[in-house]
């Protein structure tokens, strides 16, 4: 297992372990590689209080997920695990992003130059942003205030809005579900990211969880239009760790509905990790298989009240490095509690969009990636032209600020 995972905390799978997919999926991956820039959106209960998404529920991760920092970046409001879980799960009773406007999100994405979306249908906390029939822990439940809203089925409305702008659709889905009684039997006792029981001793319970997961996959693929990417998070749920949810039984069924479905079973390896996903990291060297760095516009994947957003210049520099190494950038933005994209986030995205509108053709190049020049430490056939464009952009900004 140690040889399979790279980069420490923000894991990604080793290139050497990559399993080539079918010819049809390889063809779609070539199209994916050409898109270069994706918008990732984390949205859920945690946005209400500016909390880290889900992780404060886990006692084993308390040192980093519940740490107390300056105002605006509170991971959790207290340290007692059982109380946190009780109050966190109860956030369904106050979730009400009344200014949620997916058409506005999609317009911002289009103007920035994003080509695809990865949206959190369900994070590890188990709260579903679509009208699933498998659980009442969902945005359309009667006890959720937003269920009365005309756009209560958030997943449907987001996917529809982005398709109108011709963006490809990726459904982020957490394999672990810490609200499910078939993953965590109850909220008491010491919790880890793993099930609270031994799946070998209670195989019927794990089977129930597997079937629950499969039914949710089928809902999304059958009922929510064409989904281009099924982006599976929670790599601890995999065969290698004894938590097998039998993807080989469900993915072929999903591909009968959509034969072009790309699956990113991140850090799990095997035939359903169709591309590699470094998290909050950029590989030191070029990777020859399809890959995507998921980075954040702000400090983390969740909304933070006084967040610091990366400047357009920083975003351009990151995008250039990733492109020169043959990858895609999935840039995460998290909406504020009322459902709007934060103003300062939009400002950064507009700066990136302005540059791409002017110089975007320069990032479109043949699929043949030039060799890395160890003498100059650059991919000269691509990187240097982009670098000059970047310097030109910075000069324009400097001149504008002087005026």
């Amino acid at each position: 297992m140690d040889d399979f995972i790279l980069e420490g905390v923000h894991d990604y799978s080793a290139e050497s372990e990559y399993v080539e997919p079918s010819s049809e999926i390889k063809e779609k991956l070539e199209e994916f590689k050409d898109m270069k820039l994706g918008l990732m959106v984390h949205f859920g209960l945690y946005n209400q209080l500016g909390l880290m998404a889900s992780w404060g529920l886990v006692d084993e991760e308390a040192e980093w997920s519940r740490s107390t920092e300056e105002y605006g970046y509170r991971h959790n409001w207290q340290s007692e695990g059982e109380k946190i879980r009780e109050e966190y799960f109860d956030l369904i009773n106050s979730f009400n992003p009344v200014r949620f406007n997916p058409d506005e999100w999609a317009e911002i994405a289009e103007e920035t130059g994003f080509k695809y979306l990865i949206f959190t249908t369900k994070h590890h906390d188990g709260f579903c942003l679509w009208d699933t029939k498998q659980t009442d822990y969902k945005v359309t439940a009667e006890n959720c205030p937003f269920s009365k809203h005309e756009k209560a089925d958030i997943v449907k409305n987001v996917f529809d809005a982005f398709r109108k702008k011709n963006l490809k659709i990726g459904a982020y889905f957490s394999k672990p579900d810490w609200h499910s009684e078939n993953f965590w039997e109850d909220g008491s006792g010491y919790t880890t990211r793993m099930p609270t029981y031994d799946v070998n001793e209670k195989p019927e319970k794990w089977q129930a969880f597997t079937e629950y997961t499969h039914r949710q996959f089928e809902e999304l693929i059958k009922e929510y239009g064409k989904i281009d990417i099924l982006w599976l998070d929670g790599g601890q749920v995999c065969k290698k760790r004894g938590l097998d949810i039998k993807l080989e039984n469900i993915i072929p069924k999903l591909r009968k509905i959509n034969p072009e479905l790309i699956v990113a079973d991140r850090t799990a390896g095997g035939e359903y990790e169709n591309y590699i996903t470094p998290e909050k990291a950029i590989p030191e060297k070029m990777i020859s298989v399809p890959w995507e760095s998921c980075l954040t516009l702000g400090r983390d994947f969740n909304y933070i009240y006084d967040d610091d957003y990366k400047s357009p210049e920083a975003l351009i520099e990151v995008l250039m490095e990733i492109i020169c190494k043959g990858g895609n950038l999935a840039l995460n933005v998290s909406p504020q509690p009322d459902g709007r994209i934060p103003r300062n986030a939009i400002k950064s995205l507009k700066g990136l969009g302005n540059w791409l509108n002017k110089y975007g053709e320069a990032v479109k190049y043949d699929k043949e990636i030039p060799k890395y020049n160890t003498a100059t430490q650059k991919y000269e056939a691509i990187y240097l032209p982009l670098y000059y464009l970047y310097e030109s952009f910075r000069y324009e900004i400097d001149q504008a600020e002087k005026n």
Side-chain angles (χ1 to χ4, degrees), residues 39-41 104-105 108-109 111-112 114 296-313 315 331-336 339-354:
L39 173 65
M40 175 176 277
V41 179
E104 186 177 89
W105 292 10
I108 293 168
E111 291 177 353
T112 302
F114 290 108
T296 60
L297 182 61
R299 278 178 274 171
D300 214 326
F301 289 101
N302 55 288
Y303 172 73
I304 299 169
Y305 277 86
D306 64 346
D307 211 348
D308 300 314
Y309 296 104
K310 295 177 179 63
S311 67
E313 298 94 323
L315 295 176
L331 183 64
N332 182 83
V333 180
S334 194
Q336 58 195 39
R340 291 178 294 171
I341 303 297
R343 182 180 301 173
N344 287 335
I346 294 173
K347 183 178 178 180
S348 291
L349 294 176
K350 281 188 174 180
L352 173 61
N354 290 340

Side-chain angles (χ1 to χ4, degrees), residues 97-368:
V98 292
R99 300 187 74 173
F100 166 67
N101 185 346
D103 292 312
E104 186 177 89
W105 292 10
E107 186 173 347
I108 293 168
E110 181 187 42
E111 291 177 353
T112 302
F114 290 108
K115 302 302 181 185
Y116 64 101
L117 168 75
I118 298 172
F119 181 72
T120 50
T121 64
K122 179 179 76 167
H123 205 261
H124 312 322
D125 57 19
F127 182 63
C128 300
L129 292 181
W130 80 98
D131 188 26
T132 178
K133 305 302 186 291
Q134 311 309 320
T135 178
D136 289 329
Y137 199 58
K138 59 183 179 178
V139 69
T140 54
E142 288 187 7
N143 59 320
C144 179
F146 196 66
S147 65
K148 312 301 188 296
H149 195 280
E150 62 179 353
K151 297 181 179 178
D153 192 328
I154 290 177
V155 168
K156 179 185 185 303
N157 284 280
V158 168
F159 286 179
D160 287 349
F162 277 75
R163 286 193 191 100
K164 289 177 186 176
K165 295 296 185 179
N166 296 316
L167 274 76
K168 300 294 185 181
I169 302 299
Y172 170 112
F173 183 99
S174 169
K175 292 182 293 181
D177 184 328
W178 297 331
H179 186 266
S180 169
E181 64 180 6
N182 289 318
F183 199 95
W184 282 358
E185 288 184 293
D186 55 47
S188 63
Y190 186 80
T191 56
T192 72
R193 65 180 66 193
M194 310 296 273
T196 55
Y197 61 93
D198 187 328
V199 300
N200 294 313
E201 293 179 0
K202 297 183 178 181
E204 70 290 342
K205 185 173 281 288
W206 186 249
Q207 180 62 27
F209 179 75
T210 297
E211 292 174 1
Y212 163 79
T213 303
H214 288 193
R215 289 193 298 271
Q216 289 202 318
F217 285 163
E218 288 182 307
E219 284 180 344
L220 289 169
I221 300 301
K222 286 181 178 179
E223 301 172 20
Y224 285 80
K226 184 180 180 183
I227 292 175
D228 302 282
I229 302 167
L230 184 60
W231 207 94
L232 302 179
D233 201 9
Q236 72 268 30
V237 178
C238 66
K239 285 184 181 181
K240 294 177 184 291
R241 299 197 177 183
L243 299 178
D244 186 4
I245 57 169
K246 305 293 183 183
L247 288 182
E248 68 275 11
N249 292 343
I250 186 62
I251 300 301
K253 292 181 181 179
L254 303 181
R255 283 182 171 158
K256 285 183 179 180
I257 303 167
N258 176 14
E260 299 177 338
L261 179 67
I262 293 171
V263 181
D265 188 19
R266 55 188 313 266
T267 76
E271 63 178 316
Y272 299 120
E273 189 171 18
N274 296 154
Y275 67 82
I276 295 171
T277 54
E279 178 184 339
K280 296 181 77 172
I282 301 174
E284 292 184 3
K285 59 183 181 179
M286 188 171 66
I287 296 177
S288 62
V289 302
W291 63 277
E292 167 196 81
S293 275
C294 36
L295 306 179
T296 60
L297 182 61
R299 278 178 274 171
D300 214 326
F301 289 101
N302 55 288
Y303 172 73
I304 299 169
Y305 277 86
D306 64 346
D307 211 348
D308 300 314
Y309 296 104
K310 295 177 179 63
S311 67
E313 298 94 323
L315 295 176
I316 293 164
E317 194 164 4
V318 164
L319 179 60
M320 285 193 300
E321 180 179 356
I322 289 172
I323 288 173
C324 292
K325 291 178 178 178
N328 284 24
L329 167 62
L331 183 64
N332 182 83
V333 180
S334 194
Q336 58 195 39
D338 66 1
R340 291 178 294 171
I341 303 297
R343 182 180 301 173
N344 287 335
I346 294 173
K347 183 178 178 180
S348 291
L349 294 176
K350 281 188 174 180
L352 173 61
N354 290 340
W355 187 86
L356 287 172
N357 286 335
K358 192 167 186 178
Y359 301 119
E361 289 298 316
V363 304
K364 296 178 181 178
Y365 54 84
D366 292 337
K367 296 169 186 175
E368 187 70 26

